[in-house]
C-alpha cells in the first residue's frame, strides 16, 4: 500500500470499476469471480478506500441539517473503517466474501461522496 499525505485525489472511476469487477454484472452474488491472483490485486485496490473515508467523514459537517443523509454518511464511513480492519474469513470463499464486502462499502462511499446525499443503499 502506498504512503499517502492526505492530499492525493481519489480516483473514483478506478474505484468504481474495481468494485464492479469484484461484484460482477449488476452486483450479482453468484457472478463469476476473477482468478484468485486477480482477486488479491483487486482487494488491494479496494483497500484504497482509506483515501475516501476522510472525504465522506467531512461531509456531515458540510451537509444541510437533513438528518438521514448526515447520519448515513457518518455510519458508512465508520463501517468502512471496520471493513479495513477486518480480514478474509477462512476457507475457499473467505477472500471472495471479503472482496465483495469491500466492494459494496466502496460503492456506498462513492455514492456519498459524489451525490452528497444518502444513496439508495443506505437506510
Amino acid at each position: 500500500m502506498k504512503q499517502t499525505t492526505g492530499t492525493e485525489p481519489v480516483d473514483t472511476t478506478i474505484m468504481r470499476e474495481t468494485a464492479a469487477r469484484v461484484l460482477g454484472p449488476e452486483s450479482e452474488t453468484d457472478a463469476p469471480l476473477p482468478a484468485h491472483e486477480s482477486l488479491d490485486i483487486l482487494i488491494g485496490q479496494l483497500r484504497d478506500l482509506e483515501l475516501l473515508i476522510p472525504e465522506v467523514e467531512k461531509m456531515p459537517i458540510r451537509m444541510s441539517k437533513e438528518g438521514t443523509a448526515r447520519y448515513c454518511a457518518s455510519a458508512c464511513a465508520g463501517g468502512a473503517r471496520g471493513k479495513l480492519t477486518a480480514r478474509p474469513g477462512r476457507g475457499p470463499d473467505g477472500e471472495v466474501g471479503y472482496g465483495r464486502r469491500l466492494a459494496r462499502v466502496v460503492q456506498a462511499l462513492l455514492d456519498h461522496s459524489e451525490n452528497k446525499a444518502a444513496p439508495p443503499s443506505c437506510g
Side-chain angles (χ1 to χ4, degrees), residues 2 6 9 11-13 15 21 30 44 52 56 59 69 74 77 80 87 99-100 103 108-109 113 119 122-123:
K2 61 186 171 193
D11 190 337
T12 58
T13 302
M15 291 183 84
R21 286 185 61 199
D30 58 349
L52 189 57
V56 174
M59 288 179 55
S74 179
R87 295 289 172 236
R100 286 185 171 155
L109 285 171
S113 83
C122 197

Side-chain angles (χ1 to χ4, degrees), residues 50-90:
E50 71 183 326
L51 302 172
L52 189 57
I53 293 171
E55 289 185 25
V56 174
E57 286 177 327
K58 292 176 194 171
M59 288 179 55
I61 296 167
R62 295 188 311 255
M63 284 182 177
S64 68
K65 301 259 184 212
E66 183 185 338
T68 303
R70 290 175 57 133
Y71 172 80
C72 188
S74 179
C76 188
R81 286 200 185 282
K83 299 278 188 294
L84 280 172
T85 60
R87 295 289 172 236
R90 294 182 184 191

Side-chain angles (χ1 to χ4, degrees), residues 96-115:
V96 172
Y98 179 66
R100 286 185 171 155
R101 286 189 296 277
L102 286 177
R104 285 190 295 273
V105 79
V106 162
Q107 286 181 329
L109 285 171
L110 289 170
D111 288 347
H112 281 296
S113 83
E114 293 169 357
N115 297 330

